[in-house]
Structures are given as structure tokens and as C-alpha cells.
Amino acid sequence: MTTSRAERAFNYTVLAIFSVIAAFPLLGVVWLGLRVRTTDVMGIPVPTGASFGAIAEAWQRGHFATYLTNSAFVVVVVVLVAVLLSILAGYALGTMDLPGGNALFYLFLLGLMVPTEALVIPLFFDLRSFGLDNSFPGLILPQIAQSLSFGTFWMRAYFRSVPGSLIEAARMDGAGSWTTLWRVLVPVGRPAVVTMIVLIFMWTWNEFLLALVIMGSREDLRTAPLGLSFFQGQFVSDYDLLAAGAGIVALPVMVVYVFLQRHFIAGMLSGALKE
Amino acid sequence: MSATTGPRPDEESAARATTATASVREAARPSGARPPGAPRRIGYLYVLPALLVYAAFLLWPLLHGAWISLYAWDGLSVGTFVGLANYVEVFTDEELRASLGHALFLVLFYAVLPCLIGFVLVAAMSRARVRGLTFFRTVLFLPQVVAMVAVAVIWKWIYAADGPLNAVLGLVGLDRAWLGDFTFALPAIGLIGTWVEIGLVMVLFMAGVQKIPMELYDAARVDGAGPVREFLTVTLPGLRRELSVALTLTTVAALRNFDLVWNTTGGGPGTNTRVPAYQVYNQAFSEGEVGLACAIGLVIAAGVFAFNVGLTRLVEGRR
């Protein structure tokens, strides 16, 4: 089929305009955060220099070293445990014909539709009665539970897509269900596992409401987004510092996104798909 | 200290499950010549660790929240059972009803506006394949992966009295303190939502359009269909599923926008940008109405559920 030059030009124009809209605020952060200096050349501001001054100042005054470390710790534990448990549960629900397996699956699926807003208040009081408020386990365990919904849904879908002959061949070779899972199915399913890892990483890193409620009164345990929120309350109109802080908090996820964007997009768009 | 002891109970239970799994397998092997696909009790052991964590930290709080929502409770003293009074209050109290209204208003900006714009643009683009799609997709989707707190900080700068938006609008005398304005604060938050969601919608629709067979367009043209007929008979039916997914994702985002409201306006000016998600926190920790807060949380959950199921049925025409 032929498409006219005009049609193609229209397409690129639309995409370019919306790309600029999407990128503009983020470029603004870089511009402010790096304190770009400009001189006017015939009325057009041309960048002549930049500095890491604002980033260094925000880093120090916002205690971002502590907050990023806290976030990294929380993310690593949540991802490791949630991924391990999701693979195990998804394997059983996807390949083994368990009585009641479907009911269990829908029970996990329910969590995909339960927003944090409906959980956070009872969670806070439950955790407090066990002395787990304002502690890492108190923030980590609920996030593992929330991640298990997507994880189990996602891994079950992968395990169901594996040809039965592959599992059968492993069984013929004398592999038990445990060996079949880790020696055959997980290595073959690496793309699915990677998608799950990056999504749980992003959701956990970006989580705000849970962190606010559970870590609200322990400044030294704040995660990066929570730290940024308090930081912006403190430096209301120092936009270069705020931009630097926002950049620091957003950067880790954006770096991973640039390399693995396919996984992010595929996973986030299919998370909404029900069977 | 707590950092190192924290995850241990979990790892232990996982490890216990592992050894238990192994021993059960050993025991099962002699009689293990089952036909493939037959019920295998060992499967429950694989599900167990996930189910325990999930039940303790998601299902239980959900039920506990439903229980609390039946009480008038300040979080400290003994609560009084009030039945469904908290739910009645969610829909009758003037401020809370206004919050629900704000949420529905934001749905226009988060869901309806991006889908309308995205749909028209992508439909217009559908007849030509685009090179460099990966690049555009990566950029358009970018707002989705940035922490909402960071998005809020960025947009506070854009909307600031001396920010870039006012610099442009000031030229025609339309500058104002957007997020502090009684009329414009809520739409200003809504437009941030539009900015976040429009990329997602376009990426979704572009992927959908690529899957519509070119032959359908050729056939439509052979039949003498113009752009409008082509849109109605080929593109629109072809994108039903994507439209349903887009509406679901964006509507849910509109209902759960605590991060954005908290970090841009804090519910103000006055109570003008208070949304249900904000009220959950506000009622529990500022007003001491924990039962009411739980009721609001469950109303949001019910809304999310209803939109999920309803939109899928409506748009995809299932049952």
C-alpha cells in the first residue's frame, strides 16, 4: 500500500510534538538542576556552562545518601523475595492441575484491583500492634504482598505458555518438579522474569503513600520519594535544589528504563489485561 | 539493626518450604508415576509461602479495614459500632461528597481527554507505518516511570508564579498562581494527569493499530471509503481492546492520585483539591476518624473494581 508523503509528514509531526511535551518537564529538571548558564546570542539563550553545585547542595541538605540507601535496601529485599515466591506460586498454578488452583489464582488476582488506599490504614494499626510501624519489615512485607499479585499473575501466564512437551521431556530425564523449574523453565523464561523484576523494582522504588504512613515519624528510615516530599516542603521555591532532588530520586528508575523499556511497556500494559 | 533482622522470617519460611518440598518429593517418588496433569499435592507447597505473605499483609488488612469501617474509632480509645453509618457519611457529608466529585472531574483529565486526543491522532496516523517507533515510544512512555513525587516537584516549578507557564501566558496577561487558585487548582492537577497518561494511551493505541491488517485498509479504500468511514469501520473496531485497557488504566490512576495531590496542593486551596485518596489519610491522621477513613478506602477500591469490570464489558461488548 502506498502512503502519501503528506501522511507520513503528519505522523512524524504528531509524534514529535507529543514527544516534546513528554520530555519538556524532564529537560527542565536537567536545566535547573545543572544550573545551566546562558548568554543571549541574537535574542536566543545559548548555554555556556553548567555546574553540579545544586546537585551537591541538594544531596547534602536533603540527606539523599541516607534515603537512597534505604530505598535500595527495601527494593532489593522486596524484589528478591517477591520474585522467588511469585515464581514458585506461578509454577504450581500454571503447570500443575491443583484442585482449587483457579480459586487461588483469582484470590491473587484480586490484589491487582485493591489500591493501597484501601489497605494502608488497617495495615498501619496492625503493624503498630506488632511494633512494626516505623521499621523496615513494616514497609517491606506489605510491598512483597502487593507485588505477589502481579508476580503470580505474570509467572502463571508464562508457565502456561510453556509447551507441555518441554516439561514432559524434563520429567522423562528424571528431573523432579523442583529441578524442572530451576534448570529448565526459569532459564527459558528469563525475559518474563526480567519484566517482572523491573516492574516490581519500579513500583517499590516509587511507592509513596505506604512509606509516608509507615515511616512517617522516623526521619532516618525515609525512602527516596518520601525524603523528596519532605525536602520540597523545606525548600519551597529553591527550584534548582528541588529539581536536583527530583532528578536524584527519578534517575535510578529512568536509567533502568532506558535500557529495558520494552520490558516496562509490555509489562505495564499487560498488567491490566485479564484473561 | 532492624534492617538485618527484618526480612529474616520470610527467608526462613521460604527456606523451610524448600526443604519441605524436597522431602515431600523424595517421599512421593516411589508412587510418583502419575500421568502428567494429574492433581499433584506438592503444588500446594509451592503456593504456600506466597499465600502466607499475601494473606497476612494484603487479604487480612483488607478484611480488617472492612471491619474497622463499621466503627466510629479515633485510633486510640475503644470504638463504637455504627453499622454502615460511615458509608452513608462518605456519600452525604458535604466535604466528602465534594471529594468524590473532584475525583470524577479528574477522570475527565486523566482518562477521557488522553483517550480522545490519542484516539483521534493515532487513527489519523494509522494508514502509514512509522520508522523510529521505538524512540518515540520510549519518550512518550517516560512520564509513566517517574516517581509521582518527582512529577509533582517538576510541575510545581512549571506552574510557579515565576515559572515557565506564566512566562508564556504573562505575555497575554493570563498568568496566575495556578495551584493556589480556587478555580484553576483542580484542572491544573488534572492537566498533570493528562501529561502523565497521554503517552501511555498513545503507545497502547499505536501498538494496536500496527496489528490491524493492512488488507482491511486496502479493502476499505477499494470500496471507496473515505477517512471517516475507514475510521469507523476499520480503526475503531480494531482498537476496541486497546481502548478498554487504556480507559481502565487511566481511570484507576485518576482514582488513586494521593501522591500528586499531597505533593502539589496538599488538598488546597481550602478543600478545593481534596480527593478521596487524600481524605483517607486526612480522616485517619488529622481528623481522628479512622473508621471513616477505612470506609473511604473501600469505596475507592469498589470504584476501581467497578471501572475495571464495567469498562471491559462496555467497551469490548462482552456479555
Side-chain angles (χ1 to χ4, degrees):
Chain A
M1 184 179 120
T2 54
T3 45
S4 72
R5 204 171 273 266
E7 271 177 314
R8 237 174 301 157
F10 173 82
N11 288 352
Y12 286 113
T13 312
V14 167
L15 286 173
I17 289 172
F18 282 90
S19 298
V20 168
I21 293 174
F24 170 74
L26 306 172
L27 294 176
V29 164
V30 176
W31 187 270
L32 284 173
L34 289 177
R35 284 186 178 150
V36 175
R37 290 180 298 275
T38 59
T39 42
D40 273 17
V41 178
M42 292 180 293
I44 302 158
V46 174
T48 55
S51 83
F52 292 103
I55 295 172
E57 201 182 331
W59 181 265
Q60 250 213 319
R61 297 175 74 176
H63 310 292
F64 280 108
T66 311
Y67 301 152
L68 289 181
T69 313
N70 291 344
S71 271
F73 174 72
V74 170
V75 163
V76 167
V77 177
V78 170
V79 167
L80 281 179
V81 179
V83 164
L84 175 68
L85 299 192
S86 298
I87 289 175
L88 293 179
Y91 176 49
L93 296 175
T95 64
M96 302 177 192
D97 188 12
L98 297 177
N102 260 339
L104 278 174
F105 170 64
Y106 282 112
L107 197 63
F108 278 111
L109 206 57
L110 174 74
L112 277 179
M113 287 192 236
V114 177
T116 312
E117 283 82 354
L119 299 172
V120 69
I121 304 299
L123 256 177
F124 172 74
F125 287 100
D126 288 339
L127 293 169
R128 202 179 61 171
S129 59
F130 287 100
L132 287 176
D133 60 320
N134 291 297
S135 77
F136 278 120
L139 183 60
I140 287 170
L141 287 166
Q143 294 200 81
I144 293 174
Q146 285 184 303
S147 307
L148 282 174
S149 270
F150 175 78
T152 306
F153 159 80
W154 184 253
M155 290 318 296
R156 175 182 175 269
Y158 158 67
F159 286 118
R160 276 165 71 97
S161 75
V162 173
S165 54
L166 189 63
I167 300 170
E168 208 37 51
R171 197 207 302 271
M172 296 294 234
D173 288 345
S177 63
W178 184 258
T179 317
T180 308
L181 172 62
W182 295 108
R183 288 283 160 81
V184 180
L185 297 182
V186 169
V188 174
R190 245 185 50 196
V193 176
V194 169
T195 301
M196 177 172 63
I197 289 174
V198 296
L199 287 183
I200 295 178
F201 157 64
M202 176 188 69
W203 286 325
T204 309
W205 184 275
N206 289 350
E207 175 60 48
F208 178 70
L209 177 56
L210 207 58
L212 174 68
V213 169
I214 288 171
M215 296 303 202
S217 42
R218 276 288 295 273
E219 201 187 327
D220 56 323
L221 296 185
R222 280 176 195 160
T223 59
L226 190 58
L228 176 61
S229 177
F230 280 97
F231 184 67
Q232 77 146 356
Q234 223 176 328
F235 298 91
V236 179
S237 54
D238 294 327
Y239 289 108
D240 53 346
L241 291 186
L242 293 181
I248 290 169
V249 172
L251 195 65
V253 179
M254 285 176 63
V255 169
V256 179
Y257 171 73
V258 165
F259 288 104
L260 298 172
Q261 53 90 12
R262 254 170 219 286
H263 289 277
F264 278 85
I265 295 175
M268 286 175 76
L269 295 184
S270 66
L273 303 184
K274 291 146 303 242
E275 302 238 309
Chain B
M1 269 307 271
S2 65
T4 50
T5 54
R8 199 172 288 160
D10 236 82
E11 283 166 7
E12 266 175 32
S13 72
R16 237 182 290 127
T18 309
T19 47
T21 306
S23 58
V24 166
R25 193 178 59 228
E26 294 306 315
R29 194 163 281 164
S31 61
R34 294 194 192 86
R40 295 158 52 98
R41 238 174 295 161
I42 193 183
Y44 293 114
L45 282 175
Y46 282 97
V47 184
L48 193 66
L51 190 62
L52 286 180
V53 178
Y54 182 72
F57 294 95
L58 197 139
L59 294 178
W60 167 250
L62 187 63
L63 290 174
H64 191 196
W67 179 250
I68 297 175
S69 75
L70 304 176
Y71 283 80
W73 185 43
D74 59 5
L76 299 167
S77 55
V78 180
T80 352
F81 185 81
V82 293
L84 295 176
N86 285 324
Y87 291 93
V88 174
E89 195 172 345
V90 174
F91 294 99
T92 53
D93 178 87
E94 207 169 306
E95 190 194 317
L96 294 180
R97 222 171 44 190
S99 300
L100 293 175
H102 296 157
L104 292 180
F105 182 74
L106 287 179
V107 169
L108 293 179
F109 285 88
Y110 275 72
V112 179
L113 198 57
C115 284
L116 271 180
I117 299 173
F119 213 86
V120 170
L121 289 177
V122 172
M125 289 163 51
S126 61
R127 292 183 294 181
R129 296 299 186 243
V130 177
R131 278 171 210 276
L133 204 59
T134 309
F135 168 77
F136 287 117
R137 214 172 49 171
T138 307
V139 176
L140 288 172
F141 204 78
L142 198 56
Q144 288 284 324
V145 306
V146 179
M148 266 301 169
V149 186
V151 169
V153 168
I154 299 165
W155 279 87
K156 271 180 91 168
W157 164 67
I158 291 176
Y159 283 137
D162 53 353
L165 184 65
N166 276 340
V168 175
L169 291 178
L171 300 175
V172 286
L174 286 176
D175 53 325
R176 50 172 49 83
W178 295 97
L179 291 169
D181 189 292
F182 277 86
T183 312
F184 289 99
L186 195 59
I189 288 179
L191 280 177
I192 303 176
T194 311
W195 175 75
V196 172
E197 303 301 337
I198 196 158
L200 173 130
V201 169
M202 286 187 67
V203 168
L204 202 48
F205 290 169
M206 284 193 303
V209 155
Q210 303 283 311
K211 276 188 250 151
I212 300 176
M214 270 298 181
E215 294 77 43
L216 290 181
Y217 286 102
D218 290 341
R221 287 200 176 178
V222 169
D223 288 348
V228 177
R229 273 256 318 271
E230 196 175 282
F231 171 74
L232 289 176
T233 55
V234 182
T235 311
L236 187 62
L239 284 180
R240 268 191 155 198
R241 182 144 179 77
E242 281 72 20
L243 182 61
S244 154
V245 173
L247 280 173
T248 307
L249 285 175
T250 53
T251 310
V252 170
L255 296 182
R256 333 182 23 189
N257 53 2
F258 176 84
D259 306 13
L260 194 57
V261 171
W262 179 266
N263 289 297
T264 49
T265 63
T271 58
N272 272 33
T273 58
R274 291 190 177 181
V275 291
Y278 173 89
Q279 293 287 9
V280 169
Y281 186 93
N282 182 49
Q283 295 295 335
F285 298 115
S286 309
E287 309 284 331
E289 296 263 19
V290 178
L292 183 58
C294 288
I296 300 169
L298 287 170
V299 168
I300 297 173
V304 167
F305 188 80
F307 272 114
N308 256 314
V309 176
L311 282 173
T312 311
R313 294 250 163 101
L314 191 74
V315 180
E316 292 180 35
R318 261 197 254 146
R319 261 205 296 165

PDB file of all heavy atoms in Angstrom, chain A residues 111-131:
ATOM      1  N   GLY A 111      -5.794  -8.866  44.322  1.00  0.00           N
ATOM      2  CA  GLY A 111      -4.860  -7.851  44.813  1.00  0.00           C
ATOM      3  C   GLY A 111      -4.515  -6.806  43.766  1.00  0.00           C
ATOM      4  O   GLY A 111      -4.168  -5.668  44.091  1.00  0.00           O
ATOM      5  N   LEU A 112      -4.608  -7.177  42.467  1.00  0.00           N
ATOM      6  CA  LEU A 112      -4.303  -6.215  41.406  1.00  0.00           C
ATOM      7  C   LEU A 112      -5.308  -5.064  41.405  1.00  0.00           C
ATOM      8  O   LEU A 112      -5.036  -3.990  40.894  1.00  0.00           O
ATOM      9  CB  LEU A 112      -4.345  -6.904  40.036  1.00  0.00           C
ATOM     10  CG  LEU A 112      -3.090  -7.654  39.602  1.00  0.00           C
ATOM     11  CD1 LEU A 112      -3.313  -8.292  38.246  1.00  0.00           C
ATOM     12  CD2 LEU A 112      -1.893  -6.729  39.552  1.00  0.00           C
ATOM     13  N   MET A 113      -6.487  -5.339  41.951  1.00  0.00           N
ATOM     14  CA  MET A 113      -7.526  -4.303  41.921  1.00  0.00           C
ATOM     15  C   MET A 113      -7.703  -3.621  43.267  1.00  0.00           C
ATOM     16  O   MET A 113      -8.562  -2.773  43.412  1.00  0.00           O
ATOM     17  CB  MET A 113      -8.845  -4.924  41.475  1.00  0.00           C
ATOM     18  CG  MET A 113      -8.842  -5.250  40.000  1.00  0.00           C
ATOM     19  SD  MET A 113     -10.488  -5.652  39.448  1.00  0.00           S
ATOM     20  CE  MET A 113     -10.230  -7.251  38.762  1.00  0.00           C
ATOM     21  N   VAL A 114      -6.915  -4.021  44.263  1.00  0.00           N
ATOM     22  CA  VAL A 114      -7.031  -3.377  45.574  1.00  0.00           C
ATOM     23  C   VAL A 114      -5.989  -2.264  45.676  1.00  0.00           C
ATOM     24  O   VAL A 114      -4.798  -2.527  45.706  1.00  0.00           O
ATOM     25  CB  VAL A 114      -6.821  -4.393  46.714  1.00  0.00           C
ATOM     26  CG1 VAL A 114      -6.867  -3.696  48.059  1.00  0.00           C
ATOM     27  CG2 VAL A 114      -7.861  -5.494  46.647  1.00  0.00           C
ATOM     28  N   PRO A 115      -6.432  -1.014  45.693  1.00  0.00           N
ATOM     29  CA  PRO A 115      -5.471   0.085  45.772  1.00  0.00           C
ATOM     30  C   PRO A 115      -4.887   0.204  47.178  1.00  0.00           C
ATOM     31  O   PRO A 115      -5.531  -0.197  48.154  1.00  0.00           O
ATOM     32  CB  PRO A 115      -6.310   1.316  45.424  1.00  0.00           C
ATOM     33  CG  PRO A 115      -7.704   0.945  45.788  1.00  0.00           C
ATOM     34  CD  PRO A 115      -7.814  -0.543  45.618  1.00  0.00           C
ATOM     35  N   THR A 116      -3.684   0.753  47.248  1.00  0.00           N
ATOM     36  CA  THR A 116      -3.027   0.952  48.551  1.00  0.00           C
ATOM     37  C   THR A 116      -3.934   1.721  49.501  1.00  0.00           C
ATOM     38  O   THR A 116      -3.923   1.481  50.707  1.00  0.00           O
ATOM     39  CB  THR A 116      -1.721   1.737  48.352  1.00  0.00           C
ATOM     40  OG1 THR A 116      -1.000   1.123  47.288  1.00  0.00           O
ATOM     41  CG2 THR A 116      -0.860   1.700  49.601  1.00  0.00           C
ATOM     42  N   GLU A 117      -4.742   2.637  48.964  1.00  0.00           N
ATOM     43  CA  GLU A 117      -5.612   3.466  49.794  1.00  0.00           C
ATOM     44  C   GLU A 117      -6.545   2.629  50.663  1.00  0.00           C
ATOM     45  O   GLU A 117      -6.936   3.050  51.743  1.00  0.00           O
ATOM     46  CB  GLU A 117      -6.450   4.404  48.908  1.00  0.00           C
ATOM     47  CG  GLU A 117      -5.697   5.604  48.352  1.00  0.00           C
ATOM     48  CD  GLU A 117      -4.882   5.278  47.114  1.00  0.00           C
ATOM     49  OE1 GLU A 117      -4.799   4.086  46.733  1.00  0.00           O
ATOM     50  OE2 GLU A 117      -4.309   6.210  46.525  1.00  0.00           O
ATOM     51  N   ALA A 118      -6.920   1.439  50.163  1.00  0.00           N
ATOM     52  CA  ALA A 118      -7.851   0.612  50.910  1.00  0.00           C
ATOM     53  C   ALA A 118      -7.147  -0.231  51.968  1.00  0.00           C
ATOM     54  O   ALA A 118      -7.794  -0.854  52.801  1.00  0.00           O
ATOM     55  CB  ALA A 118      -8.619  -0.306  49.952  1.00  0.00           C
ATOM     56  N   LEU A 119      -5.820  -0.280  51.921  1.00  0.00           N
ATOM     57  CA  LEU A 119      -5.070  -1.152  52.827  1.00  0.00           C
ATOM     58  C   LEU A 119      -4.294  -0.401  53.882  1.00  0.00           C
ATOM     59  O   LEU A 119      -4.009  -0.920  54.957  1.00  0.00           O
ATOM     60  CB  LEU A 119      -4.063  -1.990  52.016  1.00  0.00           C
ATOM     61  CG  LEU A 119      -4.612  -2.927  50.964  1.00  0.00           C
ATOM     62  CD1 LEU A 119      -3.465  -3.496  50.151  1.00  0.00           C
ATOM     63  CD2 LEU A 119      -5.387  -4.035  51.627  1.00  0.00           C
ATOM     64  N   VAL A 120      -3.910   0.837  53.551  1.00  0.00           N
ATOM     65  CA  VAL A 120      -2.842   1.471  54.309  1.00  0.00           C
ATOM     66  C   VAL A 120      -3.237   1.767  55.752  1.00  0.00           C
ATOM     67  O   VAL A 120      -2.420   1.629  56.665  1.00  0.00           O
ATOM     68  CB  VAL A 120      -2.358   2.742  53.557  1.00  0.00           C
ATOM     69  CG1 VAL A 120      -3.414   3.832  53.572  1.00  0.00           C
ATOM     70  CG2 VAL A 120      -1.059   3.241  54.134  1.00  0.00           C
ATOM     71  N   ILE A 121      -4.503   2.118  55.998  1.00  0.00           N
ATOM     72  CA  ILE A 121      -4.913   2.474  57.366  1.00  0.00           C
ATOM     73  C   ILE A 121      -4.955   1.235  58.278  1.00  0.00           C
ATOM     74  O   ILE A 121      -4.293   1.224  59.323  1.00  0.00           O
ATOM     75  CB  ILE A 121      -6.274   3.214  57.357  1.00  0.00           C
ATOM     76  CG1 ILE A 121      -6.196   4.453  56.441  1.00  0.00           C
ATOM     77  CG2 ILE A 121      -6.689   3.598  58.753  1.00  0.00           C
ATOM     78  CD1 ILE A 121      -5.171   5.478  56.868  1.00  0.00           C
ATOM     79  N   PRO A 122      -5.704   0.173  57.878  1.00  0.00           N
ATOM     80  CA  PRO A 122      -5.650  -1.026  58.726  1.00  0.00           C
ATOM     81  C   PRO A 122      -4.232  -1.579  58.866  1.00  0.00           C
ATOM     82  O   PRO A 122      -3.857  -2.030  59.942  1.00  0.00           O
ATOM     83  CB  PRO A 122      -6.563  -2.029  58.013  1.00  0.00           C
ATOM     84  CG  PRO A 122      -6.915  -1.433  56.704  1.00  0.00           C
ATOM     85  CD  PRO A 122      -6.700   0.024  56.794  1.00  0.00           C
ATOM     86  N   LEU A 123      -3.447  -1.534  57.788  1.00  0.00           N
ATOM     87  CA  LEU A 123      -2.059  -2.004  57.861  1.00  0.00           C
ATOM     88  C   LEU A 123      -1.292  -1.262  58.941  1.00  0.00           C
ATOM     89  O   LEU A 123      -0.558  -1.864  59.732  1.00  0.00           O
ATOM     90  CB  LEU A 123      -1.365  -1.771  56.513  1.00  0.00           C
ATOM     91  CG  LEU A 123      -1.138  -2.972  55.610  1.00  0.00           C
ATOM     92  CD1 LEU A 123      -0.503  -2.534  54.313  1.00  0.00           C
ATOM     93  CD2 LEU A 123      -0.295  -4.027  56.292  1.00  0.00           C
ATOM     94  N   PHE A 124      -1.470   0.049  58.964  1.00  0.00           N
ATOM     95  CA  PHE A 124      -0.737   0.852  59.941  1.00  0.00           C
ATOM     96  C   PHE A 124      -1.062   0.400  61.363  1.00  0.00           C
ATOM     97  O   PHE A 124      -0.156   0.201  62.188  1.00  0.00           O
ATOM     98  CB  PHE A 124      -1.080   2.337  59.776  1.00  0.00           C
ATOM     99  CG  PHE A 124      -0.522   3.203  60.869  1.00  0.00           C
ATOM    100  CD1 PHE A 124       0.831   3.501  60.919  1.00  0.00           C
ATOM    101  CD2 PHE A 124      -1.345   3.696  61.873  1.00  0.00           C
ATOM    102  CE1 PHE A 124       1.352   4.290  61.933  1.00  0.00           C
ATOM    103  CE2 PHE A 124      -0.834   4.491  62.887  1.00  0.00           C
ATOM    104  CZ  PHE A 124       0.512   4.785  62.917  1.00  0.00           C
ATOM    105  N   PHE A 125      -2.355   0.185  61.650  1.00  0.00           N
ATOM    106  CA  PHE A 125      -2.727  -0.197  63.010  1.00  0.00           C
ATOM    107  C   PHE A 125      -2.309  -1.630  63.316  1.00  0.00           C
ATOM    108  O   PHE A 125      -1.871  -1.933  64.432  1.00  0.00           O
ATOM    109  CB  PHE A 125      -4.229   0.024  63.230  1.00  0.00           C
ATOM    110  CG  PHE A 125      -4.569   1.482  63.351  1.00  0.00           C
ATOM    111  CD1 PHE A 125      -5.095   2.181  62.272  1.00  0.00           C
ATOM    112  CD2 PHE A 125      -4.313   2.178  64.524  1.00  0.00           C
ATOM    113  CE1 PHE A 125      -5.378   3.536  62.365  1.00  0.00           C
ATOM    114  CE2 PHE A 125      -4.592   3.533  64.630  1.00  0.00           C
ATOM    115  CZ  PHE A 125      -5.122   4.212  63.553  1.00  0.00           C
ATOM    116  N   ASP A 126      -2.404  -2.524  62.306  1.00  0.00           N
ATOM    117  CA  ASP A 126      -1.926  -3.902  62.515  1.00  0.00           C
ATOM    118  C   ASP A 126      -0.430  -3.915  62.804  1.00  0.00           C
ATOM    119  O   ASP A 126       0.028  -4.566  63.742  1.00  0.00           O
ATOM    120  CB  ASP A 126      -2.208  -4.753  61.266  1.00  0.00           C
ATOM    121  CG  ASP A 126      -3.692  -5.057  61.104  1.00  0.00           C
ATOM    122  OD1 ASP A 126      -4.423  -4.971  62.102  1.00  0.00           O
ATOM    123  OD2 ASP A 126      -4.115  -5.355  59.968  1.00  0.00           O
ATOM    124  N   LEU A 127       0.318  -3.199  61.974  1.00  0.00           N
ATOM    125  CA  LEU A 127       1.771  -3.192  62.144  1.00  0.00           C
ATOM    126  C   LEU A 127       2.151  -2.568  63.480  1.00  0.00           C
ATOM    127  O   LEU A 127       3.081  -3.011  64.156  1.00  0.00           O
ATOM    128  CB  LEU A 127       2.445  -2.439  60.992  1.00  0.00           C
ATOM    129  CG  LEU A 127       2.341  -3.105  59.625  1.00  0.00           C
ATOM    130  CD1 LEU A 127       2.802  -2.169  58.518  1.00  0.00           C
ATOM    131  CD2 LEU A 127       3.181  -4.381  59.596  1.00  0.00           C
ATOM    132  N   ARG A 128       1.406  -1.527  63.872  1.00  0.00           N
ATOM    133  CA  ARG A 128       1.730  -0.863  65.116  1.00  0.00           C
ATOM    134  C   ARG A 128       1.531  -1.799  66.305  1.00  0.00           C
ATOM    135  O   ARG A 128       2.302  -1.802  67.252  1.00  0.00           O
ATOM    136  CB  ARG A 128       0.876   0.397  65.289  1.00  0.00           C
ATOM    137  CG  ARG A 128       1.509   1.390  66.263  1.00  0.00           C
ATOM    138  CD  ARG A 128       0.673   2.629  66.388  1.00  0.00           C
ATOM    139  NE  ARG A 128      -0.657   2.338  66.909  1.00  0.00           N
ATOM    140  CZ  ARG A 128      -1.528   3.275  67.273  1.00  0.00           C
ATOM    141  NH1 ARG A 128      -1.211   4.553  67.157  1.00  0.00           N
ATOM    142  NH2 ARG A 128      -2.709   2.954  67.732  1.00  0.00           N
ATOM    143  N   SER A 129       0.499  -2.632  66.222  1.00  0.00           N
ATOM    144  CA  SER A 129       0.250  -3.515  67.366  1.00  0.00           C
ATOM    145  C   SER A 129       1.327  -4.606  67.460  1.00  0.00           C
ATOM    146  O   SER A 129       1.481  -5.225  68.501  1.00  0.00           O
ATOM    147  CB  SER A 129      -1.151  -4.120  67.288  1.00  0.00           C
ATOM    148  OG  SER A 129      -1.288  -4.848  66.092  1.00  0.00           O
ATOM    149  N   PHE A 130       2.083  -4.831  66.367  1.00  0.00           N
ATOM    150  CA  PHE A 130       3.212  -5.763  66.442  1.00  0.00           C
ATOM    151  C   PHE A 130       4.544  -5.019  66.564  1.00  0.00           C
ATOM    152  O   PHE A 130       5.605  -5.620  66.421  1.00  0.00           O
ATOM    153  CB  PHE A 130       3.249  -6.668  65.209  1.00  0.00           C
ATOM    154  CG  PHE A 130       2.175  -7.712  65.209  1.00  0.00           C
ATOM    155  CD1 PHE A 130       1.020  -7.530  64.466  1.00  0.00           C
ATOM    156  CD2 PHE A 130       2.301  -8.868  65.970  1.00  0.00           C
ATOM    157  CE1 PHE A 130       0.022  -8.489  64.470  1.00  0.00           C
ATOM    158  CE2 PHE A 130       1.308  -9.830  65.975  1.00  0.00           C
ATOM    159  CZ  PHE A 130       0.166  -9.641  65.228  1.00  0.00           C
ATOM    160  N   GLY A 131       4.475  -3.708  66.768  1.00  0.00           N
ATOM    161  CA  GLY A 131       5.704  -2.918  66.884  1.00  0.00           C
ATOM    162  C   GLY A 131       6.479  -2.828  65.582  1.00  0.00           C
ATOM    163  O   GLY A 131       7.680  -2.601  65.577  1.00  0.00           O
TER     164      GLY A 131
END
